[in-house]
Amino acid sequence: MKERDKLIEGAKRCLQERGYAHTTARDIARTSGANLASIGYHFGSKDALLADAMVEATAEWADKLRQAMAGEVPREGDGKLWQQAIELLDLHRPVFVAGIEVFAQAERRPQLRQALADAQEAARLELTNWLAEGTSPPATQRAVGAFYLTLLTGLILQRLIDPERAPTAESLTEALGAVRARAGA
């Protein structure tokens, strides 16, 4: 494994075990088995490395969601998407806790903010390609991707704070059906 890859893997482990605020460059070097100086060489800073690691960890979660849905393109009203998302959120909770810590740092770190903005745009486009009807105008397709990313982001926050009272797959499916019915009325 290349030094850069070892650093990313070590940073992901540190994010999950220690969180963003409590991870030091030495922690990452020790966990990854890489040289401490290689963080600066490959990433420029510990923050840039942690941002890349967070983006990769979130992308891995999204890959697991896609694999769980294997070939099924969720349609509106399909609760399976929400059920799979909730199960994977709960299973990978430390990734999302670290993500919240990373997001909070973005306000004062322009490089981190840009990396997160780019990751959000990639997620919007991915959701657009996966969930939007190809017959819709491009702006509508993109809006669908943005809408689902907004729902997923809100679901993540609610499940992290209060999993017992957070929306369920059934309640999200019911709510989307009600919104759709009202929009059509």
Side-chain angles (χ1 to χ4, degrees), residues 72-183:
E72 296 178 41
V73 175
R75 295 290 170 217
E76 292 195 36
D78 184 359
K80 187 174 180 187
L81 169 66
W82 299 114
Q83 188 58 46
Q84 291 293 328
I86 288 168
E87 288 173 9
L88 287 169
L89 285 170
D90 292 345
L91 185 63
H92 300 280
R93 182 181 175 88
V95 169
F96 295 100
V97 170
I100 299 305
E101 290 179 302
V102 171
F103 296 155
Q105 301 299 315
E107 186 64 28
R108 290 178 182 80
R109 293 191 167 95
Q111 275 186 300
L112 176 59
R113 184 184 195 121
Q114 187 61 54
L116 293 173
D118 292 345
Q120 281 187 334
E121 182 61 11
R124 277 197 245 7
L125 294 174
E126 176 83 24
L127 287 165
T128 296
N129 293 334
W130 193 33
L131 298 168
E133 293 290 330
T135 57
S136 300
T140 301
Q141 291 178 29
R142 187 176 187 287
V144 169
F147 175 75
Y148 276 97
L149 180 60
T150 300
L151 287 176
L152 278 170
T153 304
L155 178 62
I156 290 165
L157 286 172
Q158 290 185 54
R159 288 207 60 86
L160 289 177
I161 293 168
D162 187 4
E164 297 303 316
R165 293 184 290 181
T168 63
E170 295 79 18
S171 68
L172 284 168
T173 302
E174 181 181 340
L176 283 169
V179 168
R180 223 178 12 266
R182 186 168 188 172

Side-chain angles (χ1 to χ4, degrees), residues 5 9 11 17 29 45 47 50 67 77 113 121 128 132 135-136 146 171:
D5 296 332
E9 290 304 313
E17 294 167 7
S45 70
D47 290 331
L50 288 173
Q67 289 169 9
R113 184 184 195 121
E121 182 61 11
T128 296
T135 57
S136 300
S171 68

